[in-house]
Amino acid sequence: MKFDGQIIISILLAQFLVVRILRRFFDLPNRLPHWDKLLRWIWVPGVGLGIIDLLFNFRNDQLDEVYMLFVFVVVILVALALRDYRPARTVLLAVVPYTVYSAIELMLVVSDWKLGENYEDAFDASQGFTVIWMITFLLIARNQKKHLEKERLLREEEEQEKQRIATQNAELERLVAERTATLTKQTEELSQALTELKTMQTQLIQAEKMASLGELTAGIAHEIQNPLNFVTNFSDVSAELITELEEEKRKPTRNIDLETELLVDLKQNLQKITHHGQRAASIVKGMLEHSRASTGELQPTDINTLADEYLRLAYHGLRAKDKTFNATLYTNLYPELGQVNAISQDIGRVLLNLFTNAFYAVQKKKECVSDGYVPTVSVSTRRTEAGDVEVRVRDNGMGMPTTVKDKIFQPFFTTKPTGEGTGLGLSLSYDIVTKGHNGSLTVESQEGEYTEFTIRIPG
């Protein structure tokens, strides 16, 4: 009896390949460590078959078929143990048909049944089908494993990302707790600072109002001088007329016509004294209304009267500071403007601010350009097609560049030197018109040529 070493070599090689493929494909050391240990002894059946070959002299192809059948049974058992793993179920589906075919074929060969010879073509076709079936589903299992591996890697990345996010969240919570304590303290400090800021804001607004009151007071002092001079002059003349009338009455022969004429002159003087006294009283009343805190109530207001009066008061206020300054004043007041619901004190402040700025602009230009330049400030009113009241204040002063025009209504922005302006006048005027009267305040200007402010209030 001769020992055939090729059988042992083929058996050992087959078991090595099967074990290697199974361990790698199914990750047996991690999924089925018990099976992984058993597969290390898969060479024992092969060696046993080799010994049987030596003792009983089987045909070599029979031993190969027996061992291959054994190998496929092992694969089936491993796949069944991993039936919850989708690629394992696919491998099971792949090898079962071929294993069944191999078992039937081996049984026919061992039993020397002639059925295999009679249906040799059918068996060959069946073998080919089972081989193709096995290869196809093994490829499918391989693709499934790759897909599952990608999903596993993706899950691992997601889990790592979750852990990283959890770590970051923990760190952020710690930082937030620290910052919360800090911010709580800062909030208390800011609250106190805000209270102080509001107090300062109120003081600044009051300072701006007092500044405008100062401008108004200077104009009033100059403007009220005229009616007071008239009152004084007509009082003196009236006193002379009374003296002359008394002398005429003491004469033996009285001149009735002269007495009548003196009485008429005296009455006219008293009327003029009353007129100019009322004019002085209205100026004082305007000053008091300007200095009084606004009630915030809209009342019928004569915009034409306000515009005309504050134009002259602003002009005389500047002349009270600079006796050499002169300017041309133009008024184009729409006679049928009527009264408008407005807060007269606030609109007066707006007009006074615009007029004061206009006279300041023409005065500065006059200092720079002396030849042929006539300082001019104008005010005009009209009714728009929409029924709104529009007031335009224009001067031919220094004008302003675009960069300045874009900032002109910002709080504390001023083009005046330090000490000559608070930077709140136009800002407060803008708030009065837009927020207090639901109107608009716009400006058009060309540097070196003119500036024109337009107030529009709903009628």
Side-chain angles (χ1 to χ4, degrees), residues 154-170:
L154 182 61
R155 287 195 301 271
E156 289 181 355
E157 291 179 358
E158 291 177 352
E159 187 64 27
Q160 291 176 357
E161 182 67 17
K162 289 180 180 178
Q163 292 178 356
R164 185 181 65 83
I165 292 174
T167 303
Q168 289 180 346
N169 288 339

Side-chain angles (χ1 to χ4, degrees), residues 24-25 31 85-88 138-155:
R24 293 186 59 183
F25 189 83
R31 294 180 182 273
Y85 184 45
R86 189 169 59 181
L138 286 176
L139 292 175
I140 293 174
R142 179 173 174 270
N143 290 333
Q144 289 176 343
K145 178 177 173 60
K146 287 183 177 180
H147 181 69
L148 291 175
E149 184 66 18
K150 289 181 180 178
E151 291 182 349
R152 183 185 64 81
L153 294 176
L154 182 61
R155 287 195 301 271

Side-chain angles (χ1 to χ4, degrees), residues 182-415:
T182 304
L183 289 175
T184 301
K185 182 179 179 180
Q186 292 178 349
T187 301
E188 295 175 355
E189 295 175 353
L190 288 175
S191 178
Q192 182 179 357
L194 181 60
T195 303
E196 296 175 356
L197 183 61
K198 287 182 178 179
T199 303
M200 187 178 298
Q201 182 183 22
T202 303
Q203 293 174 351
L204 286 173
I205 292 174
Q206 187 63 29
E208 175 60 30
K209 290 181 179 179
M210 294 304 296
S212 65
L213 180 61
E215 297 285 346
L216 182 65
T217 303
I220 287 174
H222 193 279
E223 179 71 6
I224 205 173
Q225 191 66 39
N226 290 329
L228 290 178
N229 287 337
F230 278 110
V231 169
T232 301
N233 292 335
F234 282 112
S235 297
D236 292 340
V237 172
S238 296
E240 293 176 359
L241 290 175
I242 291 175
T243 301
E244 188 175 348
L245 181 61
E246 289 175 347
E247 291 176 354
E248 187 64 26
K249 289 178 65 177
R250 286 195 294 267
K251 291 180 180 180
T253 305
R254 297 170 59 182
N255 189 341
I256 302 302
D257 293 336
L258 178 60
E259 290 181 2
T260 302
E261 182 180 352
L262 291 174
L263 289 173
V264 170
D265 291 342
L266 182 61
K267 182 178 180 180
Q268 291 178 350
N269 287 350
L270 291 176
Q271 290 175 345
K272 292 180 180 179
I273 290 172
T274 300
H275 170 72
H276 291 288
Q278 291 175 348
R279 171 61 185 155
S282 67
I283 294 173
V284 174
K285 180 181 178 181
M287 180 183 69
L288 293 176
E289 288 182 352
H290 185 87
S291 60
R292 188 181 299 120
S294 173
T295 61
E297 296 181 359
L298 298 176
Q299 297 177 350
T301 303
D302 190 339
I303 298 296
N304 283 344
T305 300
L306 281 180
D308 180 64
E309 184 171 337
Y310 278 97
L311 175 65
R312 287 183 288 101
L313 290 177
Y315 175 60
H316 289 302
L318 186 59
R319 278 184 51 81
K321 297 178 182 178
D322 184 2
K323 301 295 184 182
T324 63
F325 175 73
N326 289 289
T328 301
L329 310 183
Y330 283 123
T331 57
N332 182 19
L333 307 177
Y334 185 57
E336 298 179 0
L337 188 67
Q339 291 191 330
V340 182
N341 285 329
I343 305 173
S344 60
Q345 301 99 311
D346 291 347
I347 294 297
R349 289 190 181 96
V350 173
L351 291 172
L352 181 63
N353 184 267
L354 297 182
F355 290 138
T356 302
N357 288 342
F359 285 119
Y360 180 85
V362 297
Q363 181 190 33
K364 291 302 179 182
K365 187 173 181 179
K366 180 65 176 178
E367 295 174 358
C368 301
V369 180
S370 57
D371 298 336
Y373 172 66
V374 179
T376 304
V377 175
S378 65
V379 59
S380 62
T381 60
R382 73 181 185 96
R383 283 274 185 181
T384 65
E385 295 180 357
D388 298 337
V389 173
E390 186 178 89
V391 182
R392 293 178 179 267
V393 178
R394 184 184 179 100
D395 66 75
N396 63 345
M398 301 294 290
M400 63 183 76
T402 303
T403 54
V404 173
K405 186 171 66 175
D406 294 339
K407 303 176 182 178
I408 198 68
F409 296 119
Q410 294 180 4
F412 305 108
F413 179 81
T414 180
T415 57

